[in-house]
Amino acid sequence: MTDSPPWVGGVMVATLILPMLVLITYTLLPLPGQVRFGAGNYVLAGALFVLNIGLPRLLRRIRRLRRRGGQR
């Protein structure tokens, strides 16, 4: 069992599903706002994927730093 906050799981799932939806809708059936956003859709999807990778690493680093601070 991990000591991660309960919201982390929801954010992880959302940062996997949202980029897929952005890319699929932009590629197959663009929504009106997506057409104007253009190639920014790929940037948005990439940023969400990076968030998916970076968030657990950031939380793990914060936990490690808190443990070290408490041991001193």
Side-chain angles (χ1 to χ4, degrees), residues 22-65:
V22 167
L23 293 177
I24 289 171
T25 57
Y26 179 65
T27 305
L28 299 177
L29 182 65
L31 301 172
Q34 285 181 310
V35 173
R36 280 181 282 161
F37 198 46
N41 288 296
Y42 296 112
V43 174
L44 175 64
L48 288 171
F49 278 130
V50 168
L51 179 65
N52 186 340
I53 294 169
L55 181 65
R57 291 177 184 212
L58 177 66
L59 290 174
R60 206 173 357 209
R61 183 170 289 160
I62 290 171
R63 263 187 259 124
R64 231 182 287 138
L65 289 173

Side-chain angles (χ1 to χ4, degrees), residues 5-23:
W7 54 267
V8 172
V11 171
M12 296 294 295
V13 170
T15 55
L16 275 177
I17 293 174
L18 285 175
M20 286 189 314
L21 291 175
V22 167
L23 293 177

